[in-house]
Amino acid sequence: VNDRSAVLVRRAFASKSPRIRELLESVVRILDLDANVLLLGESGTGKDFLAELVHRTGRRSGGPFLKIDCANLPPDLFESELFGYEKGAFTDAHDRKTGKIELAQGGTLYFDEVGGLDLHLQAKLLRVFQERRITRLGGNASITLDARIIASSNVDLFEAVRAGTFRSDLYYRLNVMSLTLPPLRERREDIPILARRFLRRAAERYRRPAEDFSAESHSILRSYTWPGNVRELRNIAERAAILSTEPLAGPETLPTERFLSPRDILELAVAERWSLERLEAAYIAEVLRVTRNNRSRAADLLGINRKTLLEKRRKYGLP
Ligand SMILES: Nc1ncnc2c1ncn2[C@@H]1O[C@H](COP(=O)(O)OP(=O)(O)OP(=O)(O)O)[C@@H](O)[C@H]1O
Ligand SMILES: [Mg+2]
C-alpha cells in the first residue's frame, strides 16, 4: 500500500477517534484493490465524503467519479440514465445516449442510498455487479465495465433483506467490504477538531474574524447529541463563523436553544422573558430531537396529532 495515500486519507479525516482510525486502516487497504465497498452509517456521518476520498486517493483517481442517487431517481428513467440507449430504442430515443455506468469507465461508480432501489432495478444491477458487463437499451453489444463500485445506505440493509425489500444476492455482492461510519455522538473526541476546522474554513470564505470556538462554546458543542451528525455540526459552525465578531466564537454565535435540556430551556425562558410561542417552538424542537424526528412519536409525546405537529413545524421553521 502506498504510504502517501495513507497519509492523505488520515489527514482528510483528522480524527482522534479509535473507531475512525480503525476504519481508515481498512480504507487504506482497499485503495489499490477493486473490491466493492459498502458504506453504512446514519445520515450526515460522512458516507459521500468517504466515497469521494476513496476515489481520489485510490488507484482510479485519474478517472471519473459518478454518483448515482438511487433514492430519488424516478424508476422509469433509471434504466436509460444508467445503461444508456441506442438510437431508436424507444419512441423518444432520437439519438444514442451513453449511460452513467459507461461514463464511469476507468473511475468510480457511487450508488448512493442503494436501499432506495425497487426490486426490479435491484435485479438489473445485480447483473452489472456480477458480470461487470452492460448492454445499452435497444443494443446488442455488451460492454465490459471497468470501474470501482461503491454503494452507501443509511438504512440497515441486512434488516431490509430480512423484510424482503432488498435482494440478498445483491446484498452479498455489495457487502464484500463494508465500512460503518459511527455517529458523531459516539466519537465525541472529534467534535472540537471538526468544529474548529469547519469554523475556520467558513470564516475565511466569508472574511469573518473567527479562528476557533471559545472554551464555553466547545463545551456546549461537545455535550450535544448531534442527531444530524457531521452535517449538522458543519452547518452550525458555518453559521457561527458568519455571526462571529471576534477571533473566539462565543455561545452567542450558537443556536443555544438547540443544545439545552428542557429544564435549562425553562430557566432561560423565564430569565429572558420568552413569549409562549418561542417556548413552544423550542420545546417542539427538543421533542423532535429526542424522538429523532419520528413524527408519530413526537406528536404522541406532545399530545397533538401529526397534522398539527406539521403545521407548527412549518410555522416555527423547524427542521
Ligand atoms: N471527516 C470529515 N471531515 C470533513 N467533513 C466531513 C467529514 N465527514 C463528513 N463531512 C462533511 O459533512 C457533511 C455530511 O457528510 P456526507 O454528505 O458525506 O454524509 P452522508 O453520510 O452521505 O449523509 P446522508 O446519508 O444524509 O447522505 C458533508 O458536508 C461532508 O463534507
Ligand atoms: Mg450521502
Side-chain angles (χ1 to χ4, degrees), residues 47-48 67 110 112-113 152 231:
K47 297 182 293 297
D48 286 24
K67 172 170 159 174
Y110 174 43
D112 194 18
E113 300 304 338
S152 83
R231 178 177 298 117

Side-chain angles (χ1 to χ4, degrees), residues 76-178:
D76 48 328
L77 285 182
F78 197 87
E79 273 190 75
S80 60
E81 277 278 323
L82 247 61
F83 295 90
Y85 46 79
E86 298 290 350
K87 187 174 173 173
F90 43 88
T91 325
D92 291 333
H94 302 301
D95 267 313
R96 207 185 99 184
K97 187 182 151 141
T98 313
K100 279 198 164 176
I101 298 182
E102 224 181 301
L103 289 173
Q105 290 287 28
T108 302
L109 261 173
Y110 174 43
F111 291 90
D112 194 18
E113 300 304 338
V114 269
L117 291 174
D118 67 27
L119 286 163
H120 166 73
L121 293 169
Q122 288 174 27
K124 296 265 163 186
L125 281 183
L126 178 68
R127 209 175 308 140
V128 177
F129 295 170
Q130 235 158 20
E131 297 162 17
R132 298 243 163 194
R133 300 186 78 77
I134 61 156
T135 309
R136 297 191 194 113
L137 300 182
N140 303 313
S142 99
I143 302 152
T144 305
L145 173 66
D146 171 36
R148 181 199 288 281
I149 291 173
I150 305 180
S152 83
S153 176
N154 62 18
V155 300
D156 185 344
L157 285 183
F158 188 69
E159 198 47 54
V161 168
R162 273 204 286 192
T165 56
F166 202 78
R167 290 179 69 111
S168 61
D169 43 10
L170 185 59
Y171 175 71
Y172 290 112
R173 268 286 149 190
L174 287 176
N175 199 18
V176 177
M177 175 83 202
S178 84

Side-chain angles (χ1 to χ4, degrees), residues 12-13 41-50 110 112-113 154 181 187 194 197-198 201 230-231 234:
F13 261 82
E42 288 177 13
S43 183
T45 47
K47 297 182 293 297
D48 286 24
F49 180 80
L50 182 54
Y110 174 43
D112 194 18
E113 300 304 338
N154 62 18
L181 281 151
R187 50 169 178 129
L194 289 169
R197 184 183 261 207
F198 292 139
R201 264 195 222 150
V230 184
R231 178 177 298 117
R234 182 176 174 169

